[in-house]
Amino acid sequence: MKPSIETIDFHGIEALRLNGPKGSSAVISKLGGQVLSWITPDGREHLYLSEKAVFDGSVAIRGGVPVCFPQFSGLGELPKH
């Protein structure tokens, strides 16, 4: 399998799926750049997403790996991460 990147719908939000050459994959939300899934070649998911996660942009997604750049929480002029 060749490495690839594809745009997907992930729980109603636009995301990128990165597919590795040996079967690994990662899903990154375009809404905030949050890593939502990391699956290794053995098929195991390594990131947790809460069943209470909201995917409409009104709040941060509960779980995964949030990217807190260029600011964190209410520190700065941009919306919270």
Coordinates of all heavy atoms in Angstrom, one line a residue:
M1 N 0.8 -1.2 0.0 CA 0.0 0.0 0.0 C 0.9 1.3 0.0 O 1.8 1.3 0.8 CB -0.9 0.0 1.2 CG -1.8 1.2 1.4 SD -2.7 1.2 3.0 CE -4.3 1.6 2.4
K2 N 0.6 2.2 -0.8 CA 1.3 3.5 -0.9 C 0.7 4.4 0.1 O -0.5 4.4 0.4 CB 1.1 4.1 -2.3 CG 2.0 3.6 -3.3 CD 1.7 4.2 -4.7 CE 2.5 5.5 -4.8 NZ 2.4 6.1 -6.2
P3 N 1.6 5.3 0.8 CA 1.1 6.3 1.6 C 0.1 7.2 0.9 O 0.3 7.5 -0.3 CB 2.3 7.1 2.1 CG 3.5 6.2 1.8 CD 3.0 5.3 0.7
S4 N -0.9 7.7 1.5 CA -1.9 8.6 0.9 C -2.6 9.4 1.9 O -2.6 9.2 3.1 CB -2.9 7.7 0.1 OG -3.7 7.0 1.0
I5 N -3.2 10.5 1.4 CA -4.0 11.4 2.2 C -5.3 11.6 1.5 O -5.4 11.8 0.3 CB -3.3 12.8 2.4 CG1 -2.0 12.7 3.1 CG2 -4.2 13.7 3.1 CD1 -1.2 14.0 3.1
E6 N -6.4 11.5 2.2 CA -7.7 11.6 1.6 C -8.6 12.5 2.5 O -8.5 12.5 3.7 CB -8.4 10.3 1.3 CG -8.6 9.4 2.6 CD -9.1 8.1 2.3 OE1 -10.1 7.9 1.6 OE2 -8.5 7.1 2.8
T7 N -9.5 13.2 1.9 CA -10.5 14.0 2.7 C -11.7 13.1 3.0 O -12.2 12.4 2.1 CB -10.9 15.3 1.9 OG1 -9.8 16.1 1.7 CG2 -11.9 16.1 2.7
I8 N -12.1 13.1 4.2 CA -13.2 12.2 4.6 C -14.2 13.0 5.5 O -13.9 14.1 5.9 CB -12.7 11.0 5.4 CG1 -12.1 11.4 6.8 CG2 -11.8 10.1 4.6 CD1 -11.9 10.2 7.7
D9 N -15.4 12.4 5.7 CA -16.4 12.9 6.7 C -16.2 12.1 7.9 O -16.3 10.8 7.9 CB -17.8 12.7 6.1 CG -18.8 13.2 7.0 OD1 -19.1 12.4 8.0 OD2 -19.4 14.3 6.9
F10 N -15.9 12.7 9.0 CA -15.7 12.0 10.3 C -16.8 12.6 11.3 O -16.6 13.7 11.8 CB -14.3 12.2 10.8 CG -13.9 11.4 12.0 CD1 -13.4 10.1 11.9 CD2 -14.1 11.9 13.3 CE1 -13.1 9.4 13.0 CE2 -13.8 11.2 14.4 CZ -13.2 9.9 14.3
H11 N -17.8 11.8 11.6 CA -18.9 12.3 12.5 C -19.5 13.6 12.0 O -19.8 14.5 12.9 CB -18.4 12.3 13.9 CG -18.0 11.0 14.5 ND1 -19.0 10.1 15.0 CD2 -16.8 10.4 14.6 CE1 -18.3 9.0 15.4 NE2 -17.0 9.2 15.2
G12 N -19.5 13.8 10.7 CA -20.1 15.1 10.2 C -19.2 16.2 10.0 O -19.6 17.3 9.6
I13 N -17.9 16.1 10.3 CA -17.0 17.1 10.1 C -15.9 16.7 9.1 O -15.7 15.5 8.9 CB -16.2 17.6 11.4 CG1 -15.5 16.4 12.0 CG2 -17.2 18.2 12.4 CD1 -14.5 16.8 13.2
E14 N -15.4 17.7 8.4 CA -14.4 17.4 7.4 C -13.0 17.1 8.1 O -12.6 17.7 9.0 CB -14.2 18.6 6.4 CG -13.4 18.3 5.2 CD -13.4 19.4 4.2 OE1 -13.8 20.5 4.6 OE2 -13.0 19.2 3.1
A15 N -12.4 16.0 7.6 CA -11.2 15.5 8.2 C -10.3 15.0 7.1 O -10.7 14.7 6.0 CB -11.4 14.5 9.3
L16 N -9.0 14.8 7.5 CA -8.0 14.2 6.6 C -7.7 12.8 7.2 O -7.4 12.7 8.4 CB -6.8 15.0 6.5 CG -6.9 16.4 5.9 CD1 -5.6 17.2 6.0 CD2 -7.4 16.3 4.4
R17 N -7.6 11.8 6.3 CA -7.1 10.5 6.7 C -5.8 10.3 6.1 O -5.6 10.3 4.8 CB -8.1 9.3 6.3 CG -7.4 8.0 6.7 CD -8.3 6.8 6.4 NE -9.3 6.7 7.5 CZ -10.6 6.6 7.3 NH1 -11.1 6.5 6.1 NH2 -11.4 6.5 8.3
L18 N -4.8 10.0 6.9 CA -3.4 9.8 6.4 C -3.3 8.2 6.5 O -3.4 7.7 7.6 CB -2.4 10.4 7.3 CG -2.3 12.0 7.2 CD1 -3.5 12.7 7.7 CD2 -1.0 12.4 7.9
N19 N -3.0 7.6 5.4 CA -2.8 6.2 5.3 C -1.3 5.9 5.1 O -0.7 6.3 4.2 CB -3.6 5.6 4.1 CG -5.1 5.9 4.3 OD1 -5.7 5.4 5.2 ND2 -5.6 6.6 3.3
G20 N -0.8 5.1 6.1 CA 0.7 4.7 6.0 C 0.9 3.5 5.1 O 0.0 2.8 4.8
P21 N 2.1 3.3 4.7 CA 2.5 2.2 3.8 C 2.3 0.8 4.3 O 2.1 -0.1 3.5 CB 3.9 2.5 3.4 CG 4.5 3.2 4.6 CD 3.3 4.0 5.2
K22 N 2.2 0.6 5.6 CA 2.1 -0.7 6.2 C 0.7 -0.9 6.9 O 0.5 -1.8 7.6 CB 3.2 -1.0 7.2 CG 4.5 -1.0 6.5 CD 5.6 -1.3 7.5 CE 7.0 -1.3 6.8 NZ 8.1 -1.5 7.8
G23 N -0.3 0.0 6.6 CA -1.6 -0.2 7.1 C -2.0 0.7 8.3 O -3.1 0.6 8.8
S24 N -1.1 1.5 8.7 CA -1.4 2.4 9.8 C -2.2 3.6 9.2 O -2.2 3.9 8.0 CB -0.2 3.0 10.5 OG 0.6 3.7 9.6
S25 N -3.0 4.3 10.1 CA -3.7 5.5 9.6 C -3.9 6.5 10.8 O -3.8 6.1 11.9 CB -5.1 5.1 9.0 OG -5.9 4.6 10.0
A26 N -4.1 7.7 10.4 CA -4.5 8.7 11.4 C -5.5 9.6 10.8 O -5.6 9.8 9.5 CB -3.2 9.6 11.7
V27 N -6.4 10.1 11.6 CA -7.5 11.0 11.2 C -7.3 12.3 11.9 O -7.1 12.4 13.1 CB -8.9 10.5 11.5 CG1 -10.0 11.5 11.1 CG2 -9.1 9.2 10.7
I28 N -7.2 13.4 11.1 CA -7.0 14.8 11.7 C -8.2 15.7 11.2 O -8.5 15.8 10.0 CB -5.7 15.4 11.1 CG1 -4.5 14.4 11.5 CG2 -5.5 16.8 11.7 CD1 -3.2 14.7 10.9
S29 N -8.8 16.3 12.2 CA -9.9 17.2 11.9 C -9.4 18.5 11.3 O -8.5 19.0 11.8 CB -10.6 17.5 13.3 OG -11.5 18.6 13.1
K30 N -10.1 18.9 10.3 CA -9.8 20.2 9.7 C -10.4 21.3 10.6 O -10.0 22.5 10.5 CB -10.4 20.3 8.3 CG -9.7 19.5 7.3 CD -10.2 19.9 5.9 CE -9.3 19.3 4.8 NZ -9.7 19.8 3.5
L31 N -11.3 20.9 11.5 CA -11.8 21.9 12.5 C -10.9 21.8 13.7 O -11.0 21.0 14.6 CB -13.2 21.4 13.0 CG -13.9 22.2 14.1 CD1 -14.2 23.6 13.6 CD2 -15.2 21.5 14.5
G32 N -9.9 22.7 13.7 CA -8.9 22.8 14.8 C -7.7 22.0 14.7 O -6.8 22.0 15.5
G33 N -7.6 21.1 13.7 CA -6.4 20.4 13.5 C -6.2 19.3 14.5 O -5.0 18.9 14.8
Q34 N -7.2 18.8 15.1 CA -7.1 17.8 16.2 C -6.9 16.4 15.6 O -7.6 16.0 14.7 CB -8.4 17.9 17.1 CG -8.3 17.0 18.3 CD -9.3 17.5 19.3 OE1 -9.9 18.5 19.2 NE2 -9.6 16.6 20.3
V35 N -6.0 15.6 16.2 CA -5.8 14.2 15.8 C -6.9 13.4 16.5 O -7.0 13.4 17.8 CB -4.4 13.7 16.2 CG1 -4.2 12.3 15.7 CG2 -3.3 14.6 15.6
L36 N -7.8 12.8 15.8 CA -8.9 12.1 16.3 C -8.8 10.6 16.3 O -9.5 9.9 17.0 CB -10.2 12.5 15.5 CG -10.5 13.9 15.5 CD1 -11.7 14.2 14.5 CD2 -10.8 14.5 16.8
S37 N -7.9 10.0 15.5 CA -7.7 8.6 15.4 C -6.2 8.3 15.0 O -5.7 9.0 14.2 CB -8.6 8.0 14.4 OG -8.4 6.6 14.2
W38 N -5.7 7.2 15.6 CA -4.4 6.7 15.2 C -4.5 5.2 15.3 O -4.6 4.7 16.4 CB -3.3 7.3 16.1 CG -1.9 6.6 15.9 CD1 -1.4 6.2 14.7 CD2 -1.0 6.2 16.9 NE1 -0.2 5.6 14.9 CE2 0.1 5.6 16.2 CE3 -1.0 6.3 18.3 CZ2 1.2 5.1 16.9 CZ3 0.1 5.8 19.0 CH2 1.2 5.2 18.3
I39 N -4.5 4.6 14.2 CA -4.6 3.1 14.1 C -3.3 2.6 13.6 O -2.8 3.0 12.5 CB -5.8 2.7 13.2 CG1 -7.1 3.2 13.8 CG2 -5.8 1.2 13.1 CD1 -8.3 3.0 12.9
T40 N -2.7 1.6 14.3 CA -1.4 1.0 13.9 C -1.7 -0.2 13.0 O -2.8 -0.6 12.8 CB -0.7 0.5 15.2 OG1 -1.5 -0.2 16.0 CG2 -0.1 1.7 16.0
P41 N -0.7 -0.7 12.3 CA -0.9 -1.7 11.3 C -1.6 -3.0 11.9 O -2.2 -3.7 11.1 CB 0.6 -2.1 10.9 CG 1.3 -0.8 11.1 CD 0.7 -0.2 12.3
D42 N -1.5 -3.2 13.2 CA -2.3 -4.3 13.8 C -3.8 -4.1 13.9 O -4.5 -4.9 14.4 CB -1.7 -4.7 15.1 CG -1.7 -3.7 16.2 OD1 -2.3 -2.6 15.9 OD2 -1.2 -3.9 17.3
G43 N -4.2 -2.9 13.5 CA -5.7 -2.6 13.5 C -6.1 -2.0 14.8 O -7.3 -1.7 15.0
R44 N -5.2 -1.7 15.8 CA -5.6 -1.2 17.1 C -5.7 0.3 17.1 O -4.8 1.0 16.6 CB -4.6 -1.6 18.2 CG -4.7 -3.1 18.5 CD -3.7 -3.5 19.6 NE -3.6 -2.4 20.7 CZ -2.5 -2.1 21.3 NH1 -1.4 -2.7 21.0 NH2 -2.5 -1.2 22.3
E45 N -6.8 0.8 17.6 CA -7.0 2.3 17.8 C -6.3 2.7 19.1 O -6.4 2.0 20.1 CB -8.5 2.6 17.9 CG -8.8 4.0 18.3 CD -8.4 5.0 17.2 OE1 -8.9 5.0 16.1 OE2 -7.5 5.8 17.6
H46 N -5.5 3.7 19.0 CA -4.7 4.1 20.2 C -5.2 5.4 20.8 O -4.6 5.9 21.9 CB -3.2 4.3 19.8 CG -2.6 3.0 19.5 ND1 -2.0 2.2 20.5 CD2 -2.5 2.2 18.4 CE1 -1.5 1.1 20.0 NE2 -1.8 1.1 18.7
L47 N -6.2 6.1 20.2 CA -6.7 7.3 20.8 C -8.1 7.2 21.3 O -8.9 6.4 20.7 CB -6.6 8.5 19.8 CG -5.2 8.8 19.3 CD1 -5.3 10.0 18.3 CD2 -4.3 9.2 20.4
Y48 N -8.5 7.9 22.3 CA -9.8 7.8 22.9 C -10.6 9.0 22.5 O -10.1 10.1 22.5 CB -9.7 7.8 24.5 CG -11.0 8.0 25.2 CD1 -11.9 6.9 25.3 CD2 -11.4 9.2 25.7 CE1 -13.1 7.1 26.0 CE2 -12.6 9.4 26.3 CZ -13.4 8.3 26.4 OH -14.6 8.5 27.1
L49 N -11.9 8.7 22.1 CA -12.8 9.8 21.8 C -14.0 9.5 22.7 O -14.5 8.4 22.7 CB -13.3 9.8 20.4 CG -12.4 10.4 19.4 CD1 -13.0 10.4 18.0 CD2 -12.1 11.9 19.7
S50 N -14.5 10.5 23.5 CA -15.6 10.3 24.4 C -16.9 10.1 23.6 O -17.1 10.7 22.5 CB -15.7 11.5 25.3 OG -16.9 11.5 26.0
E51 N -17.8 9.3 24.2 CA -19.1 9.1 23.6 C -19.9 10.4 23.6 O -20.8 10.6 22.9 CB -19.9 8.0 24.3 CG -19.3 6.6 24.1 CD -20.0 5.5 24.8 OE1 -21.1 5.8 25.4 OE2 -19.6 4.4 24.8
K52 N -19.4 11.3 24.5 CA -20.1 12.6 24.7 C -19.5 13.7 23.8 O -19.8 14.9 23.8 CB -20.0 13.1 26.1 CG -20.8 12.2 27.1 CD -20.7 12.6 28.5 CE -21.4 11.7 29.4 NZ -21.3 12.1 30.8
A53 N -18.5 13.3 22.9 CA -17.9 14.3 22.0 C -18.9 15.0 21.1 O -19.8 14.3 20.6 CB -16.8 13.6 21.2
V54 N -18.7 16.3 20.9 CA -19.6 17.0 20.0 C -18.8 17.4 18.8 O -17.6 17.9 19.0 CB -20.1 18.3 20.8 CG1 -21.0 19.2 19.8 CG2 -20.9 17.9 22.0
F55 N -19.3 17.2 17.6 CA -18.5 17.5 16.4 C -19.1 18.6 15.6 O -19.0 18.6 14.4 CB -18.5 16.2 15.6 CG -17.8 15.1 16.2 CD1 -18.5 14.1 17.0 CD2 -16.4 14.9 16.1 CE1 -17.8 13.1 17.6 CE2 -15.7 13.9 16.8 CZ -16.4 13.0 17.5
D56 N -19.7 19.6 16.2 CA -20.3 20.7 15.5 C -19.5 22.0 15.5 O -20.0 23.1 15.0 CB -21.8 20.9 15.9 CG -21.9 21.4 17.3 OD1 -20.9 21.7 18.0 OD2 -23.1 21.5 17.8
G57 N -18.4 22.0 16.2 CA -17.6 23.2 16.3 C -18.0 24.2 17.4 O -17.3 25.2 17.7
S58 N -19.0 23.8 18.2 CA -19.4 24.6 19.3 C -18.5 24.5 20.5 O -18.4 25.5 21.3 CB -20.9 24.3 19.7 OG -21.0 23.0 20.2
V59 N -17.9 23.4 20.7 CA -16.9 23.1 21.8 C -15.8 22.3 21.3 O -15.9 21.7 20.2 CB -17.6 22.4 23.0 CG1 -18.7 23.3 23.6 CG2 -18.2 21.1 22.6
A60 N -14.7 22.2 22.1 CA -13.6 21.3 21.7 C -14.1 19.9 21.7 O -14.9 19.5 22.5 CB -12.5 21.5 22.7
I61 N -13.5 19.1 20.8 CA -13.8 17.7 20.7 C -13.2 17.0 21.9 O -12.0 17.1 22.2 CB -13.4 17.1 19.4 CG1 -14.1 17.8 18.2 CG2 -13.6 15.6 19.3 CD1 -13.5 17.5 16.9
R62 N -14.0 16.2 22.6 CA -13.5 15.5 23.8 C -12.8 14.2 23.4 O -13.4 13.2 23.0 CB -14.7 15.1 24.7 CG -15.4 16.3 25.3 CD -16.5 15.9 26.1 NE -16.0 15.2 27.3 CZ -16.7 15.0 28.4 NH1 -17.9 15.5 28.5 NH2 -16.2 14.3 29.4
G63 N -11.5 14.2 23.5 CA -10.6 13.1 23.2 C -9.6 13.4 22.1 O -9.5 14.6 21.7
G64 N -8.9 12.4 21.7 CA -7.9 12.6 20.7 C -6.8 13.4 21.2 O -6.5 13.4 22.4
V65 N -6.1 14.1 20.3 CA -4.9 14.9 20.7 C -5.2 16.3 20.2 O -5.1 16.6 19.0 CB -3.6 14.4 20.1 CG1 -2.4 15.3 20.5 CG2 -3.4 13.0 20.5
P66 N -5.6 17.3 21.1 CA -5.9 18.6 20.6 C -4.6 19.4 20.3 O -3.6 19.2 21.0 CB -6.6 19.2 21.8 CG -6.2 18.5 23.0 CD -5.9 17.1 22.5
V67 N -4.6 20.2 19.3 CA -3.5 21.1 19.0 C -3.8 22.4 19.5 O -4.8 23.0 19.1 CB -3.2 21.1 17.5 CG1 -2.1 22.0 17.1 CG2 -3.0 19.7 17.0
C68 N -3.1 22.9 20.5 CA -3.4 24.1 21.2 C -2.5 25.3 20.7 O -1.9 26.0 21.5 CB -3.2 23.9 22.7 SG -4.3 22.7 23.4
F69 N -2.3 25.4 19.5 CA -1.5 26.5 18.9 C -2.4 27.4 18.0 O -3.3 26.8 17.3 CB -0.4 25.9 18.0 CG 0.4 27.0 17.3 CD1 1.5 27.6 18.0 CD2 0.2 27.4 16.0 CE1 2.2 28.5 17.4 CE2 0.9 28.3 15.4 CZ 2.0 28.9 16.1
P70 N -2.4 28.6 18.0 CA -1.4 29.5 18.7 C -1.8 29.9 20.1 O -1.1 30.7 20.7 CB -1.4 30.7 17.8 CG -2.8 30.8 17.3 CD -3.3 29.4 17.1
Q71 N -2.9 29.4 20.6 CA -3.3 29.8 22.0 C -4.0 28.7 22.7 O -4.4 27.7 22.1 CB -4.1 31.1 22.0 CG -5.5 30.8 21.4 CD -6.3 32.1 21.3 OE1 -5.8 33.1 20.9 NE2 -7.6 32.0 21.7
F72 N -4.1 28.8 24.0 CA -4.8 27.8 24.8 C -6.0 28.4 25.6 O -5.8 29.5 26.1 CB -3.8 27.1 25.7 CG -4.5 26.0 26.6 CD1 -4.7 24.8 26.0 CD2 -4.8 26.2 27.9 CE1 -5.3 23.8 26.7 CE2 -5.4 25.2 28.6 CZ -5.7 24.0 28.0
S73 N -7.1 27.8 25.6 CA -8.3 28.3 26.3 C -8.6 29.7 25.9 O -8.7 30.0 24.8 CB -8.0 28.1 27.8 OG -9.2 28.4 28.5
G74 N -8.9 30.5 26.9 CA -9.3 31.9 26.6 C -8.2 32.9 26.6 O -8.4 34.1 26.6
L75 N -6.9 32.4 26.5 CA -5.8 33.2 26.5 C -5.5 33.7 25.0 O -4.9 33.0 24.3 CB -4.5 32.5 27.0 CG -4.7 32.0 28.5 CD1 -3.5 31.1 28.9 CD2 -4.9 33.1 29.4
G76 N -5.9 34.8 24.6 CA -5.7 35.4 23.3 C -7.1 35.8 22.7 O -8.1 35.6 23.3
E77 N -7.0 36.2 21.5 CA -8.1 36.8 20.8 C -9.0 35.8 20.0 O -10.1 36.0 19.6 CB -7.7 37.9 19.8 CG -7.1 39.1 20.6 CD -6.5 40.1 19.6 OE1 -6.8 40.1 18.4 OE2 -5.8 41.0 20.1
L78 N -8.4 34.6 19.7 CA -9.0 33.6 18.9 C -10.0 32.8 19.8 O -9.9 32.8 21.0 CB -8.0 32.7 18.3 CG -7.0 33.4 17.3 CD1 -6.0 32.4 16.9 CD2 -7.8 33.9 16.1
P79 N -10.9 32.0 19.2 CA -11.8 31.1 19.9 C -11.0 30.1 20.7 O -9.8 29.8 20.3 CB -12.7 30.4 18.9 CG -12.5 31.2 17.7 CD -11.2 31.9 17.7
K80 N -11.6 29.5 21.8 CA -10.9 28.4 22.5 C -10.6 27.3 21.6 O -11.3 27.0 20.6 CB -11.8 28.0 23.6 CG -12.0 29.0 24.8 CD -13.0 28.6 25.7 CE -12.9 27.2 26.4 NZ -13.8 27.0 27.5
H81 N -9.5 26.5 21.9 CA -9.2 25.4 21.1 C -10.3 24.3 21.0 O -11.1 24.3 21.8 CB -7.9 24.7 21.6 CG -8.0 23.9 22.8 ND1 -8.1 24.5 24.1 CD2 -8.2 22.6 23.0 CE1 -8.2 23.6 25.0 NE2 -8.3 22.4 24.4

